Amino acid sequence: HSGPARVFNSEEEAIAAIKLGTRHFAKRQMTWFKRDARIHWLDVSQLSGEALFSAALKIITAPNEQE
């Protein structure tokens, strides 16, 4: 959301504000994505290589459940 321009007292303060704003934006994005049934998450810490490819291919070739 936009508001009046903010004035920072130091470069460090500006960097901290940018980092915080980025974290808040990422959290809002994740909340939005989690609510979208069209998004399918793949845990890359559990799958790799051929297994990851197969899981992704299964998702994109499955019939659309929304129609």
Side-chain angles (χ1 to χ4, degrees):
H1 62 111
S2 64
R6 184 165 170 206
V7 177
F8 299 101
N9 295 320
S10 67
E11 181 178 354
E12 292 79 19
E13 185 181 335
I15 291 170
I18 291 168
K19 287 180 179 181
L20 180 61
T22 300
R23 282 192 300 273
H24 287 172
F25 180 71
K27 184 172 179 171
R28 285 192 307 274
Q29 279 188 318
M30 290 303 296
T31 299
W32 184 81
F33 280 127
K34 287 178 183 178
R35 291 181 181 161
D36 191 334
R38 298 170 299 169
I39 305 296
H40 297 272
W41 297 96
L42 297 173
D43 186 350
V44 297
S45 69
Q46 300 294 319
L47 300 170
S48 63
E50 189 66 32
L52 182 58
F53 175 78
S54 295
L57 188 60
K58 183 177 178 181
I59 291 168
I60 62 174
T61 59
N64 190 342
E65 298 168 4
Q66 299 294 320
E67 296 181 335

